[in-house]
Amino acid sequence: MTSDLIGQTAYLVLLLVAISGYFISENRFSLGQTLRHSLIWIFIFVGALAVVGLWQNVKNDISPRQTYMSETDQITLPRAYDGHFYAQLMLNGNPVDFVIDTGASNVVLTKKDAERAGIDLSALRFFGRAMTANGQTRTAPARIARVELEGITDFNVEVWVNEGEMSQSLLGNTYLQRFDKIEIGQNEMVLTR
C-alpha cells in the first residue's frame, strides 16, 4: 500500500466515523429506525452497483447482436426475445435493420429505409403486388449498388420498396440464397458463405 492510498483510506474512515457519530447522536432515541433507514440506503446503493455492473449482460439478453467469424465465413444471428432473427446490413453505406423472413421471396424495404439507402421514391413505379399479413400491397423494384453484411459485400442487389405501411424491412430469400448454407439451432441462425 502506498502512503497516498493509506492517507485516502484513513480520511474516508474518519469521514465515515464522523457522519455515523452525527447520525447516532442526533437519533439516539430512535436508533432502530435510523438503522433500518441506513440499511435500506445501503441495499439501494448495492442494488444500483449491481445493475450498473450487470447492464452489459442484461443488454445482450434483451438485444443480442450479430457476429461475424472471418476464419469460417460465418455470420451468427442470435434469436431475439420475440423469437425472430434480425440483421443490420449496410445499404450504400447506411445501416438498415432487417427482420429475417424466410417466407418472403424478396428483399422488401420500407419507404423510410429505401430513402436511407439513397433510393429516390419519386422515381419508383409501384406496379408489383405482394401479399402480406395485412393484405395486398403495391411494390416497386429498385437496385442497391452495395450491400454489406458484416464482412460480406454484394453488388447490384435487387430490392422491392413497399408502398404501404410496414414496421420493418424484410430480408427475404433472394438475398438469403446468396449463402451456401443457412442453419437454425440453439437459438441462433448461422449463415455460411
Side-chain angles (χ1 to χ4, degrees):
M1 245 177 155
T2 65
S3 60
D4 285 344
L5 189 57
I6 292 170
Q8 289 173 350
T9 305
Y11 172 77
L12 289 175
V13 167
L14 286 173
L15 183 62
L16 183 62
V17 167
I19 291 172
S20 300
Y22 169 77
F23 278 108
I24 290 172
S25 67
E26 282 297 312
N27 299 300
R28 62 183 171 266
F29 299 114
S30 59
L31 283 178
Q33 184 179 6
T34 302
L35 183 60
R36 263 195 313 271
H37 288 158
S38 299
L39 286 175
I40 289 170
W41 280 108
I42 288 170
F43 286 133
I44 290 172
F45 181 72
V46 169
L49 286 177
V51 167
V52 169
L54 297 173
W55 176 246
Q56 192 63 37
N57 292 341
V58 171
K59 188 171 123 183
N60 286 340
D61 288 343
I62 292 172
S63 178
R65 300 304 300 167
Q66 63 199 32
T67 58
Y68 173 64
M69 299 186 67
S70 60
E71 308 86 40
T72 57
D73 278 339
Q74 290 185 329
I75 298 170
T76 302
L77 305 171
R79 187 184 308 269
Y81 66 93
D82 63 359
H84 295 288
F85 294 100
Y86 294 90
Q88 185 178 79
L89 282 74
M90 300 294 283
L91 304 185
N92 294 328
N94 299 300
V96 174
D97 292 323
F98 286 89
V99 62
I100 307 293
D101 188 350
T102 57
S105 301
N106 301 304
V107 176
V108 182
L109 297 177
T110 65
K111 289 186 279 188
K112 179 178 157 189
D113 287 341
E115 284 182 315
R116 183 178 295 139
I119 296 173
D120 179 13
L121 294 182
S122 64
L124 294 178
R125 291 184 36 228
F126 290 92
F127 62 84
R129 300 265 182 241
M131 288 304 298
T132 68
N134 296 328
Q136 192 175 56
T137 185
R138 295 186 330 161
T139 59
R143 292 251 173 216
I144 303 292
R146 182 180 176 102
V147 175
E148 298 172 73
L149 176 57
E150 295 297 332
I152 297 172
T153 304
D154 292 296
F155 299 96
N156 197 29
V157 176
E158 182 183 55
V159 298
W160 290 80
V161 180
N162 186 355
E163 184 181 46
E165 290 301 316
M166 198 165 81
S167 62
Q168 191 159 19
S169 294
L170 305 176
L171 195 61
N173 286 321
T174 54
Y175 182 79
L176 295 174
Q177 289 172 352
R178 294 170 181 258
F179 290 91
D180 296 331
K181 186 171 28 170
I182 299 172
E183 299 171 287
I184 299 175
Q186 300 297 322
N187 285 323
E188 62 186 21
M189 175 183 283
V190 179
L191 306 172
T192 306
R193 177 81 52 112

